[in-house]
Amino acid sequence: MQVTSPKGRAQRPEKGTAPPLPLSVIHAEALYRSRPPVGYDDEGYPFEDSKVSESTKHDDVLTHFRVAAFTLVVDQRDTMVQRNLLILFEEGNPRAAVEPDVTVSLGVGRHPRNSYKLWVEGKPPDLAIEGLSERTWHRDVEVKPPLYRDLGVGEFWQLDPIGRTPDPISGYRLSGGVYRPITPSPSGAYRSAVLNAEFSYDREEMHIVNLRTGRRVAPQHETERQRDAAEHARDEEVRRRLSEGRAYEARIAELEAKLRARGARTN
């Protein structure tokens, strides 16, 4: 079995030295923990289980981030954005898996996949997001980031809706083999180079700005409300025009009747 390095290549030990430990051994505590029943693909790798949402607040903020991330890259047809997609990083070892809450990977396509296998995709994801929950927050903060770092995930983000860390949102960028904190702007926004966007979050509301357009990315529920309002306005306009049309036709019929009556008296 090959050992996947942070760059996605097999590591070969130098002559006379012991082979390096697999990342699945170094970061054993960070590995995916399934909840039976578990689904496996044809090669024996896991890709689904019975895991349920941690909380509505946890789910809401991650759904918003995932939808916003997809909106930001909607024109990049080769960019993948997924929730709860297993990253498998050692070929032949189904246990060597980690599950970010949201994963973004540039240049790999949007074709259907059960999991993200590094030896198939040819690269690590570019961005991983973890939303903290009461059950898993310690693993998300202390245990999983070193594995993402060693896998070569370019940006790592934490969203904290439960108040376990000083900052509601924290971002880290891989540089020189280590994660360096992303410094917020004076307004408190954090910039993602992968998504070309700025994020701010106060544990109640997330504000996301598309840096290509300078426009805010509206939450899904707000977008749906705006769409419903626009559809309602269109329906009202159609009804108004139909009503005006019927009134116009009635007026024409009335005038025609008067002309016929006048002609009958004249004859």
Side-chain angles (χ1 to χ4, degrees):
M1 180 181 67
Q2 292 183 335
V3 179
T4 304
S5 74
K7 298 300 183 182
R9 297 187 296 270
Q11 293 178 332
R12 297 184 181 276
E14 295 180 4
K15 189 174 181 179
T17 63
L21 291 174
L23 293 183
S24 58
V25 174
I26 297 172
H27 301 287
E29 192 179 351
L31 300 184
Y32 163 70
R33 300 173 182 176
S34 62
R35 293 186 186 179
V38 182
Y40 295 87
D41 65 19
D42 293 341
E43 298 177 292
Y45 294 98
F47 67 89
E48 65 177 357
D49 63 14
S50 61
K51 190 176 295 182
V52 296
S53 174
E54 303 289 348
S55 70
T56 56
K57 196 170 186 179
H58 176 270
D59 192 61
D60 286 348
V61 68
L62 289 169
T63 298
H64 182 188
F65 205 118
R66 192 263 175 184
V67 173
F70 186 81
T71 301
L72 289 163
V73 301
V74 68
D75 294 330
Q76 303 174 37
R77 301 300 301 172
D78 60 349
T79 296
M80 181 204 77
V81 180
Q82 289 294 331
R83 277 284 309 268
N84 302 121
L85 185 69
L86 275 183
I87 300 173
L88 293 151
F89 54 89
E90 289 176 4
E91 187 173 4
N93 183 6
R95 291 180 52 81
V98 63
E99 182 187 34
D101 285 321
V102 179
T103 306
V104 178
S105 190
L106 309 176
V108 298
R110 294 181 187 170
H111 56 273
R113 44 170 66 82
N114 291 332
S115 59
Y116 192 96
K117 298 173 180 175
L118 260 63
W119 60 93
V120 174
E121 307 289 352
K123 55 167 288 190
D126 295 276
L127 182 150
I129 302 167
E130 293 288 358
L132 308 192
S133 68
E134 293 294 350
R135 186 176 62 85
T136 65
W137 73 269
H138 175 74
R139 292 183 74 238
D140 294 338
V141 172
E142 301 292 342
V143 180
K144 295 172 79 172
L147 175 54
Y148 292 137
R149 175 201 64 205
D150 288 350
L151 290 175
V153 177
E155 284 185 4
F156 172 67
W157 294 83
Q158 294 171 349
L159 302 175
D160 179 13
I162 60 174
R164 287 291 187 173
T165 59
D167 300 311
I169 183 170
S170 301
Y172 302 87
R173 187 168 292 120
L174 192 63
S175 177
V178 298
Y179 274 143
R180 303 186 187 279
I182 297 174
T183 304
S185 66
S187 66
Y190 294 79
R191 177 171 294 193
S192 166
V194 173
L195 295 173
N196 198 15
E198 281 191 342
F199 306 96
S200 57
Y201 176 53
D202 61 4
R203 294 194 174 97
E204 294 298 329
E205 183 178 1
M206 179 172 288
H207 192 83
I208 301 175
V209 175
N210 184 337
L211 294 178
R212 286 183 288 272
T213 65
R215 297 174 60 184
R216 175 175 174 261
V217 180
Q220 186 176 19
H221 68 273
E222 185 176 313
T223 302
E224 291 174 352
R225 185 167 58 245
Q226 292 171 351
R227 184 173 59 248
D228 290 343
E231 290 177 354
H232 178 74
R234 285 195 298 270
D235 291 344
E236 288 295 316
E237 179 65 13
V238 169
R239 282 192 287 269
R240 183 185 67 80
R241 292 185 179 184
L242 287 174
S243 178
E244 290 178 350
R246 286 191 292 268
Y248 179 76
E249 290 172 356
R251 179 58 176 162
I252 293 297
E254 180 184 353
L255 292 173
E256 288 176 345
K258 288 182 178 180
L259 288 173
R260 286 194 297 270
R262 184 178 300 173
R265 287 196 299 269
T266 302
N267 294 335

